[in-house]
Amino acid sequence: MTKNNRLTSVLAAVCCLFSAAAMRPAAEIDSCVTELLGRMTIDEKIGQLNQLSGYGYAPEMVTQIKNGSVGSILNEVDPEVVNRLQYEAVENSRLGIPLIFARDVIHGFKTIFPIPLGQAASWNVDLVEEGARIAADEASSVGIRWTFSPMVDISRDARWGRIAESFGEDPVLSGALGVAMVKGYQGDDLSRPNTMAACAKHFAGYGAAEGGRDYNTTWIPEVQLRDTYLPPFKQAADAGAATFMCSFNDINGVPSSGNRYLLRDILRGEWGYDGLMVSDWGSIQQMIPHGYSTDLRQAALQGVNAGVDVDMESYAYIGHLRELIESGELSESDIDPLVANVLRLKYRLGLFDNPYVDMASASRFYAPASLDAARRAVEESAILLKNDGILPIDNDKVRKIAIVGPMADAQHDQAGTWVFDLEKERCVTPLAALKELYGGSDIRYAAGLEYTRDRKTNGFAEAVKAAAKSDVIIYFAGEEAVLSGEAHCRADLSLPGAQSALLRELKATGKPLVLVVQAGRPLAFADDVALADAVVFCFHGGTMTGPALANLLSGKVNFSGRCPVSFPRMSGQVPVYYAGKNTGRPASGITLIDDIPLEAGQTSTGCTSYYLDAGAGPLFPFGYGLSYTSFTYSEPELSASTLSADGSLTVKCTVTNTGSREGSEVAQLYVRDHVGSLVRPVRELKDFRKITLRPGESRQIEFTIIPSQLAFHVDGAKTVVEPGEFSVWVAPDAQSGTPVQFTFVESSEFASK
Ligand code: GLC
């Protein structure tokens, strides 16, 4: 090393030691990373790639930390323990490299917000960002500086339990909300101690699991992978998501944890991503049962070659990388970039300057403003699916209210999946909230069933009795939290247990019946919907579910939730989603099974694409939701009837609140490309706007369409827009609206969006 280089490296080492008030400039971070990397042994480098699940201040964990054999720890949430383990890393390991502490903070840490699918139903980007911001402040107050969220997997199959953690079926909505969560977690300076590194997961295609069965294989044509599944990840990367997580599944036979094309060619090569890639729990080891790796040694080699920086709980890297380097199958220069990604994240988080939890402000939970935000999130995510006028419940007129059902007072289950840090006693249930709101009323509560899977009917009589003595029945049904989330898939999407049977008994009383469903997925509950006079759907809402639903049912707050997924008519209909293809025989002349005459002729029911027992299309379409007011949309006006490759189109539409009370509406911009070298979906969401209008108020909203929004993949990263006719809607859901047309006048290619 020349004298000048020596001086530079000394200066770099010195500057890396000084505390930085804000995030260090990227160049300085890179210099610090290079300098530190140069001082690390092979074992210390490998240690940074090893992530373990915490189990307190245990001697063997302390030993590993002091030896530099672990770089990050997940699931340790005791701030005292976090600081003690961090002290061992910073003060008692040779190089003093701080640990990162991580946790699945998926929809809140202590103040639990609606599950992501519920937050998606709010279509409110700012609200989602606010929730993530609050989650980061609470979690970082115990030392968590890395969350494994947002999950931006596209999911079109409600059998898949993890649809609960997704933002639903659409890439544009999912991308917008994923970016909002990244911004909420990371803020504008990731080195601030009350931020968390985001993690875009699960990269990629996890939601395409065959049969909706978790961890199952996926077959995804590359054009569909790039058109549907990758865009929300690209948006998260462009928004600065500090980390990614690879998925458990294989894509067309190659597990993501060993998928060079996905992790290196696309993520690093095409997108230029410089963040950290962490495996999923044990996913490197799971390449053995996948049948992709002979043993853990090969799995470790495949993980490094694919570009998985950090091994979560496989012990593949810590167990085999040194040997792979000594054998020459890997070189130290193969793992240096992986180690650099870890060190860079630690510098970006400011951990070299500020590694400890400030115990003076530790454990900051349940701030009034946080609980208020959590309540607003539920208010904006609950969806009014049906209302014959029974809602809102006017307590001046309706004094006797029966509250029934296993989800009326379910503090644990209303929080939904992925709530490791839930304190259920902080959850306010609908029963508690309605009792408080309708204090002077005659409220009769009878669960009828002990839990949602309950099949015992011995509680029915008491419920029916309460119902018969009341003016209105509010029936809280749904799914327990455990029935959705990871590894919790269902082949039958109806209400579990004897809930539908109880509904029928309640209906038989002849009393007005409001059905309120809390679940982790869209259910196939058409018969229940038909029996109820009003239906509210609330994807598990978290801590403040009760007050929010009470405000909505009473009319203190108006509904504004809209479906982020399509609701199936029957379980056998899934996957069902709006952006499908028209087929050569689109459904028409539907003859349902009970209407088919005896000995009907082979072709008498027509030969088009529908189910004899379910017809075609969803029970409730993507984007759908009712309000206590009503809205009309003018026919969209286009700024031109043609669009060229370098041009743009303005779309104007006037939305009017034609009802008698203020309400919020989600205007959705859809486009259809009528003819393509690959057949295109019948509609694709391109933008949306949530607006609030006073009674009688009209507002013109404006969208802009640019050619790249119309592009689709034809070959690898190449996308094209081809000449031809397009339709445009501005509508309240994916099945409504009056289309107008424009022509795209020339073919053009774009880099992958
Ligand atoms: C789980 C999940 C992943 C989570 C990780 C750590 O198996 O697949 O989403 O972040 O392990 O808990």
Side-chain angles (χ1 to χ4, degrees):
M1 182 187 287
T2 64
K3 185 179 175 186
N4 189 34
N5 283 359
R6 265 200 308 279
L7 179 60
T8 306
S9 64
V10 167
L11 282 175
V14 169
C15 86
C16 296
L17 295 175
F18 284 120
S19 286
M23 185 186 282
R24 299 164 183 255
E28 184 183 327
I29 288 179
D30 285 343
S31 163
C32 293
V33 167
T34 303
E35 190 280 328
L36 178 52
L37 204 57
R39 290 187 282 130
M40 294 172 74
T41 66
I42 288 183
D43 289 327
E44 288 166 336
K45 290 178 179 178
I46 294 169
Q48 288 300 310
L49 309 183
N50 187 34
Q51 181 175 104
L52 300 178
S53 190
Y55 45 95
Y57 186 74
E60 56 275 20
M61 177 66 87
V62 171
T63 302
Q64 287 174 295
I65 292 170
K66 291 164 92 169
N67 292 340
S69 303
V70 57
S72 48
I73 292 175
L74 74 158
N75 297 333
E76 182 54 69
V77 292
D78 177 336
E80 299 278 358
V81 174
V82 165
N83 276 352
R84 293 177 66 194
L85 294 175
Q86 189 70 291
Y87 182 85
E88 299 299 346
V90 171
E91 301 301 335
N92 295 335
S93 73
R94 188 177 77 88
L95 291 172
I97 300 172
L99 298 161
I100 311 177
F101 290 87
R103 183 70 157 177
D104 291 280
V105 184
I106 307 300
H107 52 108
F109 183 66
K110 291 291 184 180
T111 302
I112 304 299
F113 280 67
I115 56 174
L117 190 59
Q119 294 189 43
S122 75
W123 292 63
N124 186 328
V125 172
D126 296 335
L127 202 59
V128 170
E129 181 173 343
E130 183 182 14
R133 179 88 231 93
I134 290 166
D137 190 63
E138 290 194 348
S140 63
S141 78
V142 300
I144 300 301
R145 298 294 316 278
W146 183 8
T147 178
F148 300 125
S149 171
M151 191 252 218
V152 289
D153 298 303
I154 297 301
S155 175
R156 296 171 164 177
D157 191 325
R159 293 170 293 182
W160 191 47
R162 303 200 78 166
I163 195 172
E165 304 166 58
S166 80
F167 293 117
E169 68 182 65
D170 182 76
V172 167
L173 180 60
S174 298
L177 299 180
V179 166
M181 271 199 179
V182 168
K183 290 178 177 175
Y185 291 140
Q186 299 189 172
D188 54 13
D189 179 356
L190 190 55
S191 69
R192 292 184 186 283
N194 65 345
T195 63
M196 291 195 294
C199 182
K201 73 183 187 182
H202 306 79
F203 195 62
Y206 187 23
E210 193 170 271
R213 181 159 48 85
D214 205 3
Y215 316 117
N216 202 6
T217 187
T218 71
W219 284 98
I220 311 173
E222 179 161 359
V223 291
Q224 187 188 28
L225 180 70
R226 288 176 176 272
D227 279 348
T228 302
Y229 294 97
L230 294 189
F233 286 98
K234 178 65 167 51
Q235 282 184 263
D238 291 347
T243 71
F244 267 51
M245 179 185 288
C246 61
S247 59
F248 285 126
N249 57 287
D250 71 86
I251 301 175
N252 309 338
V254 180
S256 298
S257 304
N259 195 322
R260 283 183 66 92
Y261 180 63
L262 186 70
L263 304 189
R264 284 198 185 281
D265 298 351
I266 294 181
L267 183 65
R268 305 291 184 181
E270 287 179 31
W271 296 1
Y273 183 66
D274 75 344
L276 180 150
M277 172 62 74
V278 62
S279 78
D280 203 335
W281 184 293
S283 68
I284 291 176
Q285 180 277 336
Q286 287 157 26
M287 289 197 281
I288 301 170
H290 262 296
Y292 194 69
S293 308
T294 306
D295 53 27
L296 200 56
R297 183 180 189 281
Q298 185 188 12
L301 178 61
Q302 289 164 317
V304 169
N305 285 336
V308 180
D309 297 322
V310 172
D311 169 11
M312 181 196 291
E313 278 286 336
S314 279
Y315 302 88
Y317 286 7
I318 199 73
H320 296 282
L321 289 195
R322 183 179 183 85
E323 172 201 343
L324 285 163
I325 292 170
E326 287 168 348
S327 71
E329 290 167 271
L330 281 176
S331 67
E332 199 165 343
S333 61
D334 289 322
I335 67 166
D336 282 354
L338 283 57
V339 181
N341 288 337
V342 176
L343 299 178
R344 188 178 310 112
L345 177 60
K346 294 183 176 184
Y347 274 109
R348 283 177 172 170
L349 284 166
L351 289 172
F352 282 91
D353 305 319
N354 189 3
Y356 299 108
V357 181
D358 176 359
M359 294 309 290
S361 60
S363 304
R364 296 187 298 273
F365 311 138
Y366 307 118
S370 304
L371 294 170
D372 178 73
R375 190 202 74 254
R376 284 185 284 113
V378 185
E379 287 170 351
E380 291 211 34
S381 59
I383 307 167
L384 182 59
L385 293 174
K386 177 183 180 184
N387 184 20
D388 72 351
I390 187 177
L391 291 178
I393 294 171
D394 179 349
N395 194 217
D396 294 333
K397 296 171 186 167
V398 177
R399 304 295 298 171
K400 294 185 285 183
I401 299 171
I403 295 176
V404 179
M407 289 297 285
D409 199 30
Q411 286 184 296
H412 169 86
D413 288 306
Q414 73 181 43
T417 188
W418 285 107
V419 286
F420 286 168
D421 301 292
L422 173 72
E423 293 173 312
K424 73 170 191 177
E425 57 280 5
R426 297 299 300 248
C427 290
V428 184
T429 66
L431 176 66
L434 286 167
K435 279 182 173 176
E436 183 174 337
L437 184 66
Y438 288 150
S441 302
D442 172 3
I443 289 186
R444 300 165 189 270
Y445 169 57
L449 291 162
E450 289 177 32
Y451 52 95
T452 66
R453 290 165 290 151
D454 191 0
R455 297 188 181 284
K456 301 185 301 302
T457 58
N458 55 320
F460 281 21
E462 184 192 5
V464 168
K465 185 178 173 187
K469 291 182 176 179
S470 301
D471 301 330
V472 68
I473 308 163
I474 309 176
Y475 177 34
F476 290 93
E479 288 183 320
E480 291 154 80
V482 74
L483 300 181
S484 61
E486 182 172 355
H488 298 157
C489 303
R490 296 179 63 207
D492 175 358
L493 300 175
S494 59
L495 282 170
Q499 295 183 88
S500 293
L502 177 54
L503 180 71
R504 290 192 292 275
E505 298 274 329
L506 296 171
K507 181 66 179 179
T509 66
K511 299 289 185 175
L513 176 57
V514 179
L515 171 62
V516 182
V517 177
Q518 298 171 67
R521 57 164 55 83
L523 297 177
F525 67 139
D527 294 343
D528 307 298
V529 170
L531 289 176
D533 299 299
V535 179
V536 173
F537 206 94
C538 181
F539 296 105
H540 291 127
T543 304
M544 298 301 283
T545 300
L549 288 177
N551 287 341
L552 290 162
L553 293 169
S554 66
K556 285 179 69 178
V557 171
N558 193 356
F559 285 93
S560 64
R562 298 291 182 269
C563 296
V565 282
S566 308
F567 277 69
R569 293 179 182 280
M570 298 173 81
S571 302
Q573 188 183 15
V574 294
V576 61
Y577 53 96
Y578 83 91
K581 305 298 175 50
N582 202 35
T583 78
R585 292 192 174 189
S588 66
I590 292 173
T591 306
L592 290 176
I593 194 164
D594 292 335
D595 302 329
I596 301 173
L598 296 178
E599 299 181 7
Q602 166 72 25
T603 61
S604 65
T605 61
C607 300
T608 63
S609 184
Y610 70 90
Y611 299 97
L612 292 178
D613 50 2
L619 180 64
F620 298 107
F622 177 79
Y624 175 85
L626 298 175
S627 168
Y628 287 143
T629 186
S630 53
F631 300 94
T632 59
Y633 286 66
S634 70
E635 185 172 295
E637 292 171 39
L638 301 182
S639 56
S641 59
T642 61
L643 174 63
S644 58
D646 58 355
S648 66
L649 267 184
T650 301
V651 184
K652 293 180 180 177
C653 174
T654 298
V655 181
T656 301
N657 178 344
T658 51
S660 58
R661 64 170 290 170
E662 182 175 281
S664 297
E665 173 69 338
V666 180
Q668 301 146 45
L669 175 69
Y670 293 98
V671 168
R672 179 181 182 181
D673 181 352
H674 286 274
V675 178
S677 55
L678 296 173
V679 295
R680 312 302 310 137
V682 294
R683 277 203 205 196
E684 293 180 281
L685 181 75
K686 295 301 178 185
D687 201 347
F688 59 91
R689 197 80 37 82
K690 187 165 192 176
I691 58 174
T692 300
L693 298 175
R694 295 184 308 279
E697 181 184 3
S698 291
R699 188 173 308 161
Q700 185 180 76
I701 50 178
E702 193 171 298
F703 295 105
T704 300
I705 294 175
I706 58 175
S708 60
Q709 286 177 286
L710 309 176
F712 60 94
H713 288 85
V714 289
D715 174 19
K718 188 172 84 174
T719 64
V720 294
V721 184
E722 296 164 342
E725 291 303 303
F726 286 76
S727 289
V728 180
W729 296 259
V730 179
D733 62 62
Q735 286 183 344
S736 305
T738 306
V740 291
Q741 280 68 39
F742 72 89
T743 304
F744 191 74
V745 294
E746 63 193 302
S747 183
S748 53
E749 291 184 14
F750 295 88
S752 186
K753 46 195 171 189

